[in-house]
Amino acid sequence: RVIRPKPSQVVRILRQAKGHLNLAAGIDPGPLDLLSTDFTEIPFCGGNRKAQLIAMIDVASEWVPGWAVGVSKDRGLALECWRKVVEAYGMFGRDMAGVVVHSDQDPVFTSYDWLRALAVDSGVRISFSERGAWENPWIESFWSRFKTENRDLFLDAKDLKDLEGLIEGRMRYYNGSRRHSSVGNRPPLAYLKSEGIGPRTLSAD
């Protein structure tokens, strides 16, 4: 017989707080106030190989401040993405204190390392979907557009390093050039600039 492992203290707390975990529900966030995140699978090398991609999207501006791609959907990859997010916010002269980060209850997002990096080290407010993808529509919408628009390009990637370079280029285009109807038919960085939020080293050009 296999003995089931006991749920972690985090999981027990989440079970007790059921019905109160989704801090993103019903709020009208301003720019840089609410980030949505999740993993997705990216086929490459003609569809013969698959990678895991994680990103964070600012709900109000559609800006993607951080992402990471690798072979496994794990805490290391998620924390690599998070480090990029913290660095990107720093370029705007912002820290992460008080920012709401919304995700599903994947084991990566309920792990001690993830929660320590966000809640303890950065003062982030953690929000969880209680109904899976239904309560995290922002990142799901982003994945739908991003993967559809770039599918053929990613399939042509010969290896993971090649794929990473392609994703880097498409993320730059998405943030700096691609127009979004939700922010007045402007690119995310241009929208943020119009809101008086200007990066110190990035450019909306």
Side-chain angles (χ1 to χ4, degrees):
R1 297 176 59 186
V2 177
I3 300 175
R4 291 174 178 266
K6 293 182 179 180
S8 70
Q9 184 63 29
V10 171
V11 172
R12 289 197 290 267
I13 291 172
L14 294 182
R15 288 175 180 174
Q16 294 172 3
K18 186 176 180 180
H20 304 280
L21 299 175
N22 189 349
L23 304 183
I27 68 172
D28 183 19
L32 311 187
D33 288 344
L34 172 62
L35 294 170
S36 173
T37 188
D38 200 5
F39 289 90
T40 194
E41 189 174 80
I42 303 292
F44 68 105
C45 195
N48 296 315
R49 298 180 63 186
K50 295 178 180 178
Q52 294 292 328
L53 174 62
I54 180 175
M56 286 194 171
I57 185 167
D58 175 45
V59 170
S61 69
E62 306 263 5
W63 176 51
V64 179
W67 61 275
V69 63
V71 296
S72 301
K73 177 182 175 180
D74 56 29
R75 286 171 293 177
L77 196 64
L79 290 171
E80 180 184 344
C81 172
W82 177 244
R83 286 191 291 271
K84 291 181 179 179
V85 171
V86 173
E87 181 180 353
Y89 266 64
M91 291 178 179
F92 284 95
R94 301 289 188 98
D95 61 32
M96 306 305 302
V99 174
V100 176
V101 173
H102 184 73
S103 70
D104 61 24
Q105 297 182 47
D106 184 283
V108 169
F109 301 130
T110 59
S111 68
Y112 290 115
D113 289 346
W114 175 257
L115 295 175
R116 182 184 301 112
L118 273 67
V120 178
D121 296 342
S122 296
V124 161
R125 300 173 64 203
I126 303 294
S127 174
F128 288 111
S129 167
E130 299 193 41
R131 297 172 56 217
W134 290 100
E135 289 187 345
N136 199 5
W138 310 284
I139 192 69
E140 297 301 328
S141 177
F142 169 71
W143 287 142
S144 178
R145 297 192 304 271
F146 189 74
K147 292 169 68 174
T148 299
E149 292 173 3
N150 301 297
R151 177 181 179 277
D152 292 342
L153 185 67
F154 296 156
L155 286 173
D156 288 340
K158 298 178 177 60
D159 52 34
L160 189 61
K161 184 177 181 180
D162 191 20
L163 178 65
E164 185 175 14
L166 289 171
I167 292 174
E168 171 72 29
R170 299 317 293 170
M171 288 293 185
R172 288 183 181 274
Y173 169 77
Y174 182 91
N175 283 331
S177 299
R178 189 188 186 282
R179 298 177 183 274
H180 302 274
S181 59
S182 62
V183 290
N185 201 34
R186 289 168 290 183
L189 288 176
Y191 168 76
L192 288 173
K193 186 176 181 180
S194 73
E195 293 291 307
I197 303 172
R200 296 173 177 174
T201 59
L202 294 178
S203 173
D205 296 334

